Amino acid sequence: MMGSVGGGGSPEQDQPVCVTGATGYVGSWLVRTLLRRGRRVHATARDPVKARRMLSAVEGKERLRVFRADMAEEGSFDDAIIGCATLFHVAASMDLHLSPDQHDAEERVRSQVLEPATRGTINVLRSCVRAGTVRRVVFTSSVSTLAAAGSEGSVVDESCLRDLGDVWATKPIGWVYILSKRLAEEAAFGFARENGLRLVSVVLPTVAGPFLTPAVPTSVQLLLSPITRIYC
Ligand SMILES: NC(=O)c1ccc[n+]([C@@H]2O[C@H](COP(=O)([O-])OP(=O)(O)OC[C@H]3O[C@@H](n4cnc5c(N)ncnc54)[C@H](OP(=O)(O)O)[C@@H]3O)[C@@H](O)[C@H]2O)c1
């Protein structure tokens, strides 16, 4: 866990927990885990039919409600978040196939990836404020936003966040993804501070293992790519 703002007590166990991105690799496991722990879960998906199909066999599914919500639509998360004590914001677009060689690559990255990612995250957080019941928001960040080089010893913390100017200038592998996660996280912390939301950012490493999704998750493809030679 990297940073946090706000303060207060632990969430009520009997209030539902909202998870965005329930049709994704991480989101589907999170929904399953929360249900197995006896929690009531409000899962959001752009395609609720897909979500229900994926989660149809999970233990505790009688405590699951699925809501349609899209980060691109203002107010879309209101119904799912209302009454929830905690929000896990897991949804993010992983479709970042923009070539840095295109003449207008930077402008397209800004308008087609970075702005929607940030706007979508704020859209979700606005629903939390409107709900008035959310005590804790968990943002899902990525290890790719950190640079281990230059850190003291083996500890990697907030001081190791990649410099945005450097990412723009050098365009390392995954640069669009790095920027989208960094900017969305930064905007989320700013919004949380201004609106009194308790927000923590959990930094995920590259995740691998069994999956509930119908397709092989991007991160599993990435980890297998030295063997399969299929690069995503
Ligand atoms: N997997 C990893 O190794 C890893 C590592 C570090 C951080 N993370 C972070 O963990 C989170 C989940 O990653 P993942 O691997 O589970 O990705 P994933 O399998 O691609 O899942 C992404 C989820 O986000 C949803 N989504 C995308 N665009 C959306 C939009 N506009 N509105 C609403 N939902 C939208 C997708 O819905 P659809 O099914 O409709 O496309 C899907 O449910 C992301 O924030 C990612 O950055 C993952």
Side-chain angles (χ1 to χ4, degrees), residues 21-27 46 50 69-72 77 90-94 140-142 177 181 204-207 219:
T23 51
Y25 183 29
V26 174
R46 286 190 288 194
K50 180 179 168 188
D70 190 323
M71 290 201 291
F77 290 81
V90 183
S93 175
M94 305 293 272
T140 317
S141 185
S142 164
Y177 178 65
K181 297 308 292 184
L204 266 58
T206 306
V207 183
S219 54

